[in-house]
Amino acid sequence: MQAVLAQPMEPVLHELLSDRVVDAIACGYEHQTHIIICEPGDTEADFLRAAAFSPPLSGWLYGDACFQPLWDWAARHDGWFEWLSCIGKAGFAFILLVPDSEDIDPTLLAIEP
């Protein structure tokens, strides 16, 4: 993970990654935490290949009367969205980081934390 954090990247993304790695290690879940960073051009299919399940979408968008989030925690950071989905009860989790950018698949941006 140190090699990833040593790569040049946007400061907000670096801080988010660093914080999540520290949190995972502090909780003893560093081997059960899978962090996925969405990049411009990525689609739901790309996420499916990386995570082996569809992103936290219910088919209903934020603001729809039937909307129910399928993530366990979500936040909006300075130019980034973050979603945490826990899988089972053993500590395994996916963290999805998506830049708030025009180049991102609108389906992913419609998730809304």
Side-chain angles (χ1 to χ4, degrees):
M1 184 48 83
Q2 295 306 322
V4 171
L5 291 173
Q7 299 297 312
M9 68 182 79
E10 179 180 303
V12 174
L13 176 58
H14 186 275
E15 183 177 352
L16 284 170
L17 279 175
S18 180
D19 289 350
R20 295 314 160 257
V21 169
V22 167
D23 291 345
I25 292 169
C27 294
Y29 295 133
E30 64 270 22
H31 300 294
Q32 295 173 289
T33 303
H34 189 88
I35 300 172
I36 299 171
I37 301 168
C38 183
E39 297 181 311
D42 287 349
T43 65
E44 182 178 354
D46 295 316
F47 182 90
L48 185 59
R49 276 191 296 280
F53 79 101
S54 185
L57 299 175
S58 64
W60 300 100
L61 300 180
Y62 181 76
D64 290 341
C66 294
F67 173 78
Q68 289 190 342
L70 298 177
W71 54 85
D72 296 299
W73 184 82
R76 180 179 239 165
H77 304 283
D78 185 23
W80 288 85
F81 295 105
E82 176 182 13
W83 295 276
L84 169 74
S85 293
C86 297
I87 310 299
K89 296 184 180 190
F92 189 86
F94 285 100
I95 298 173
L96 175 60
L97 300 172
V98 180
D100 185 5
S101 166
E102 296 175 358
D103 301 335
I104 298 299
D105 182 341
T107 305
L108 293 172
L109 291 179
I111 296 172
E112 279 291 324

